[in-house]
Amino acid sequence: MRLVQLSDIHFGGENKEAVEAATAWIRDARPDLVVVAGDLTLDGKTPEFDAAAAWLKRLPDPMIVVPGNHDTPFVGPRELFERFTRTWGRFKDRFGDEDGAAWRAPGVTVSSLNTARAAQVRWNWSKGAVSRGQIRRVVRELEAAPAGDLRVVVCHHPLMEVLGGPMTAKVHGGVDAANHFVQAGADVILSGHIHLPFVTAVPFGDGKTQAIGSGTLSHRERGAAPGFNVIEVEPGCVRVQALAYEHGKFNAWRTWACDRRSPNENGAA
């Protein structure tokens, strides 16, 4: 099974050449699932959402889309009004519910949660948050997955800080969420936000749950060229290849290979 993981396209500030090249690459690859892990827009403006929706229609189905912190309207009086009265209206009108998108095919179960918030009891609203209700729902979905399924969680913010990352996520409830998802058997937790590809083991349970972050297709680069991830799922292994757009084409920037749990294993220590 092959998954494509995209995030942080930031329409309004997208790298147009990289976006077009990614479109062609993904259409040719015909992945089993396209995951879009948030920040489709730059400022949450209607034309940016329209551009993002038009682009995603060019990519193959099936697809899961979750929002990021940039996908709330916040530039201009009308946008600020909508931010607090219809926070996810623009997103929902084009991509469906902002929280709880799920997908299943033979061998894989995918759950998602929205870690972005319109406002928080802290100055930097762009950081992430996870509620107890979201944790409970995702845990139920993971535990209901058939034995042997690759259990995938999708969100925008990395639930735990990435060592050496170019920026922080500081997700309220993130460590607790990661711990619960590991115990429920999550194999991979896909995110974006920091604009730099990474793969790192979540330090709970048996250490086999991998946090996987994808880069950006915008001009807001932070240590890597614009790109996205390709995830190959094999019976005993998950392989991740971060592709980077350089010199007019996508090349492998870095690759990782991670052991999978056997069907009779779970996430508990």
Side-chain angles (χ1 to χ4, degrees), residues 109-234:
T109 293
V110 184
S111 299
S112 72
L113 66 156
N114 179 13
T115 56
R117 299 292 186 266
Q120 300 185 57
V121 188
R122 55 176 166 171
W123 178 252
N124 194 339
W125 56 266
S126 71
K127 303 303 182 183
V130 182
S131 72
R132 292 181 180 179
Q134 287 177 307
I135 294 173
R136 289 193 293 268
R137 173 182 56 78
V138 172
V139 165
R140 288 195 302 269
E141 293 169 357
L142 294 174
E143 291 180 340
D149 265 19
L150 183 82
R151 302 179 187 190
V152 181
V153 178
V154 181
C155 53
H156 177 62
H157 296 82
L159 296 178
M160 302 181 67
E161 294 305 299
V162 179
L163 185 64
M167 62 183 296
T168 64
K170 294 185 178 177
V171 178
H172 277 170
V175 172
D176 189 39
N179 198 353
H180 277 84
F181 297 163
V182 168
Q183 302 308 320
D187 292 293
V188 296
I189 302 174
L190 309 183
S191 64
H193 188 62
I194 70 171
H195 295 201
L196 186 70
F198 67 85
V199 176
T200 186
V202 179
F204 299 122
D206 58 9
K208 290 185 178 180
T209 300
Q210 302 294 326
I212 302 175
S214 51
T216 181
L217 285 174
S218 75
H219 289 288
R220 299 161 61 92
E221 299 170 21
R222 298 193 181 103
F228 60 93
N229 289 346
V230 181
I231 303 172
E232 303 278 358
V233 181
E234 302 172 8

